[in-house]
Amino acid sequence: MVYKSFSRRHFLQGATLFSASVGTSVLTSSRTGATIGDEYSEAVVIGSGYGGAVAALRLGQAGIQTLVLERGRRWEIPSQNNQDVFATYRKPDGRAAWLSSTTLFGDSVDTYTGVLETLREYGANPLCGAGVGGGSLVNNAGVVVPKSRYVFYQVFPRSIDYDELLHVYFARVRKMLEPNPIPSDILATKYYESTRLFQEHATRAGFTNYLIDLAVDWNVVRNEIAGTRVPSTINGEIWFGCNSGAKKSLDRNYIPLAEQTKYVEVMPLCVVTAIAQLPNEKLYRVSYNRINTSGKILETKTVTCRYLFLAAGSIGTSKLLVKAKATGKLPKLNEHVGKCWGTNGDTVGHRSNLPPIKDQGGFAGAILEHYDNPISPIILMNYPQWNNPIGSQECLGMGIPEPKGVFKYDASTDSVNLHWPSYLQTNKQHIDATKLTYKILDDANFKDGKQPSTEFVYQNVAHPSGGATIGKACDQYGRVFGYQALYVVDGALLPGSAGGANPFLTIAGLAERAMDKIIPRIKHGDW
């Protein structure tokens, strides 16, 4: 295997740990449990999404040698010279799906390490990003704050200071991503009729509503409108990537800044299969497969580390922990690991019988708050759907579901699966609340003899959350109970939802908060 650099990484040869940099650490394999051929990095981060990218940057800035293992490939950042980086809805191909012969929408494609995985679990179909930048490559780019303190504490423990999270850590993430709402000149174009109508209807129904801050370069969107960039944002292209380069994904901010510290190396196409603590309880071993873009395993590798950060997403992190507990690799994990998983309350509503608009421009542009819903708090946002019939509109709903999902290990297949009970049975309160919000919205907008109507649909889970939740499986800073130097910094921390919000800002903010606590303790040898 050829690496870009061995200037900061270590490797085991014989019974001694050698460093290719100045100053060699010596560890005998008989004392550490490390084996000949193990690589070594002081810290390993599994995954490069919002939690992993934050952890990598802060570790690098602290001078801690860090290896980031990312299962997906590294995608070129779209530019004026290359506007065909990703697949599109209109012309899908293997770039749209992670090692699958079909896309999210059922299109047949070649098998490739594409940007989006659609899992088929028991009772739920979670969506997971794949690539350097993780979910930021495929999400809605909406920087949504859980604005209600009351709703926030319905989900999160009181040990998290809401004001500190809002004004310190969310602000830090926002400074990095520089999000802004749709500018007025862009909002006024034909591409954003649906957003304007959504706000008009929400206002008429008495709902608080506003334009969402989006991690988008609006000058690039202006170029799309002018025809000098390929239409992506204005065409509602979201799930498969953004070819115009308008989206401010993590491979344009956190990740390159982490690499610029010279202490962080990102290795794509490395699929982690197992984690374990070594006998001396001072090192962790991570097993992974290096693959090609067709999914073929090129070699199987192991790396040991002192500090292990799990950021493989709610699904990936939970599965790694549940497998490690079941196989005796991390036997001290508590009974809460692999439980309290939820959907973030994701629902889709298809509104019809509307004025002759075309539901097309993206990303999700505006949000409607119904936090005082008498059944349960709900938010809705208009959601672009490029092939919707004229006069219809998609809305994405979020709320607080019952986090009843459980991950279970199957010894016969050495695999872990998510088990989500019937959504309709276990989340009746959340569904009834969502239906009530739509009813108020539609009833208030009877016009010209037409009554808007909404077909309520429960679909794929866009924001899987939980499985290693804060306050149960982990402490308030993500340290896994029962272990030192083992941390969860991704969506697995969330107790089934972000409390009525798109979760990525919450994930990144909690990761920033955790790293502020973890880094000093690493420096002092406490954690």
Side-chain angles (χ1 to χ4, degrees):
M1 182 175 181
V2 178
Y3 297 105
K4 290 183 288 185
S5 171
F6 271 95
S7 61
R8 301 173 305 281
R9 297 252 307 286
H10 302 73
F11 59 95
L12 280 167
Q13 182 173 313
T16 306
L17 182 69
F18 288 95
S19 169
S21 60
V22 177
T24 301
S25 303
V26 179
L27 296 170
T28 63
S29 58
S30 61
R31 287 192 292 111
T32 66
T35 59
I36 296 172
D38 275 352
E39 296 172 353
Y40 177 81
S41 180
E42 191 174 3
V44 169
V45 179
I46 301 174
S48 63
Y50 287 100
V54 168
L57 174 58
R58 303 312 172 195
L59 288 164
Q61 290 175 332
I64 297 170
Q65 172 55 39
T66 302
L67 176 65
V68 179
L69 297 174
E70 166 57 50
R71 66 171 179 162
R73 58 161 288 185
R74 189 160 203 154
W75 298 86
E76 183 178 342
I77 296 174
S79 66
Q80 186 71 50
N81 296 325
N82 186 1
Q83 299 178 63
D84 187 31
V85 175
F86 302 107
T88 67
Y89 296 156
R90 296 152 180 84
K91 293 183 178 180
D93 57 44
R95 294 173 296 176
W98 170 259
L99 298 178
S100 173
S101 60
T102 58
T103 71
L104 165 65
F105 304 114
D107 304 294
S108 296
V109 294
D110 53 307
T111 300
Y112 189 75
T113 49
V115 296
L116 185 66
E117 180 178 28
T118 306
L119 288 166
R120 306 298 178 188
E121 301 290 338
Y122 294 101
N125 299 325
L127 306 179
C128 305
V132 175
S136 74
L137 298 170
V138 297
N139 71 3
N140 294 315
V143 183
V144 180
V145 176
K147 286 195 171 181
S148 167
R149 184 193 312 272
Y150 168 73
V151 175
F152 181 82
Y153 284 127
Q154 287 189 39
V155 177
F156 291 97
R158 290 277 175 177
S159 57
I160 300 175
D161 186 319
Y162 175 81
D163 289 323
E164 179 188 55
L165 191 64
L166 184 66
H167 298 297
V168 177
Y169 297 111
F170 286 172
R172 186 181 297 174
V173 177
R174 292 173 64 89
K175 184 177 181 181
M176 186 73 72
L177 300 181
E178 299 181 321
N180 286 290
I182 305 171
S184 58
D185 61 312
I186 295 176
L187 183 63
T189 66
K190 63 180 181 180
Y191 305 104
Y192 291 90
E193 285 182 307
S194 179
T195 301
R196 299 197 303 270
L197 180 75
F198 179 80
Q199 286 200 277
E200 176 188 327
H201 279 197
T203 299
R204 187 175 293 129
F207 291 120
T208 297
N209 64 90
Y210 49 90
L211 294 173
I212 301 170
D213 284 343
L214 296 164
V216 168
D217 185 336
W218 293 109
N219 284 327
V220 173
V221 178
R222 290 186 177 97
N223 290 336
E224 290 185 35
I225 294 170
T228 58
R229 288 285 182 107
V230 63
S232 297
T233 309
I234 61 174
N235 270 0
E237 295 283 352
I238 296 175
W239 293 113
F240 302 160
C242 181
N243 274 319
S244 70
K247 185 186 290 189
K248 298 177 182 178
S249 48
L250 294 168
D251 52 347
R252 298 171 60 170
N253 37 73
Y254 274 98
I255 291 171
L257 287 175
E259 292 174 317
Q260 288 169 23
T261 68
K262 306 300 183 184
Y263 286 96
V264 176
E265 181 178 6
V266 178
M267 288 179 55
L269 297 174
C270 292
V271 180
V272 173
T273 57
I275 57 176
Q277 188 178 52
L278 297 185
N280 75 336
E281 298 188 355
K282 293 187 182 295
L283 293 177
Y284 293 94
R285 174 182 288 132
V286 179
S287 302
Y288 65 95
N289 294 326
R290 190 172 67 87
I291 63 173
N292 64 15
T293 53
S294 297
K296 179 182 177 181
I297 297 174
L298 302 179
E299 59 182 338
T300 296
K301 306 285 287 184
T302 57
V303 57
T304 58
C305 61
R306 293 192 182 278
Y307 309 102
L308 179 55
F309 292 81
L310 302 183
S314 166
I315 305 296
T317 289
S318 298
K319 288 188 175 186
L320 286 172
L321 287 171
V322 169
K323 180 178 178 180
K325 181 180 180 181
T327 56
K329 303 299 183 183
L330 293 175
K332 293 183 289 185
L333 294 174
N334 71 20
E335 71 277 11
H336 297 293
V337 168
K339 298 178 181 178
C340 201
W341 182 89
T343 65
N344 199 52
D346 288 358
T347 58
V348 173
H350 181 82
R351 302 185 72 214
S352 58
N353 212 21
L354 301 175
I357 60 167
K358 178 65 175 175
D359 190 11
Q360 189 176 53
F363 301 93
I367 192 169
L368 168 165
E369 292 179 352
H370 195 190
Y371 286 143
D372 58 350
N373 186 308
I375 303 173
S376 184
I378 295 295
I379 66 167
L380 300 179
M381 55 181 69
N382 72 298
Y383 188 81
Q385 183 63 32
W386 68 277
N387 58 355
N388 259 355
I390 297 292
S392 63
Q393 178 183 71
E394 297 287 305
C395 292
L396 176 63
M398 301 177 203
I400 304 177
E402 288 289 329
K404 296 291 188 179
V406 177
F407 292 86
K408 298 179 181 180
Y409 176 72
D410 185 342
S412 66
T413 58
D414 190 33
S415 63
V416 178
N417 291 106
L418 169 67
H419 294 256
W420 175 248
S422 170
Y423 193 85
L424 295 177
Q425 292 177 11
T426 59
N427 281 275
K428 185 177 185 304
Q429 177 175 305
H430 169 62
I431 291 173
D432 287 347
T434 305
K435 288 180 176 179
L436 175 61
T437 301
Y438 277 117
K439 185 177 189 309
I440 294 170
L441 180 66
D442 291 342
D443 286 352
N445 285 283
F446 184 88
K447 190 175 182 181
D448 298 330
K450 292 183 178 180
Q451 170 68 55
S453 62
T454 298
E455 178 186 359
F456 177 67
V457 183
Y458 171 67
Q459 292 190 333
N460 299 298
V461 181
H463 305 117
S465 304
T469 57
I470 196 165
K472 292 186 176 183
C474 305
D475 72 10
Q476 62 170 309
Y477 300 105
R479 186 172 69 163
V480 179
F481 288 132
Y483 290 89
Q484 290 190 334
L486 176 63
Y487 315 95
V488 172
V489 290
D490 62 7
L493 278 176
L494 274 57
S497 81
N502 178 320
F504 91 69
L505 179 60
T506 304
I507 293 168
L510 288 174
E512 289 279 17
R513 177 178 178 271
M515 297 311 293
D516 262 10
K517 188 74 169 183
I518 292 168
I519 294 293
R521 294 203 171 188
I522 286 178
K523 290 291 190 178
H524 288 91
D526 294 339
W527 281 7

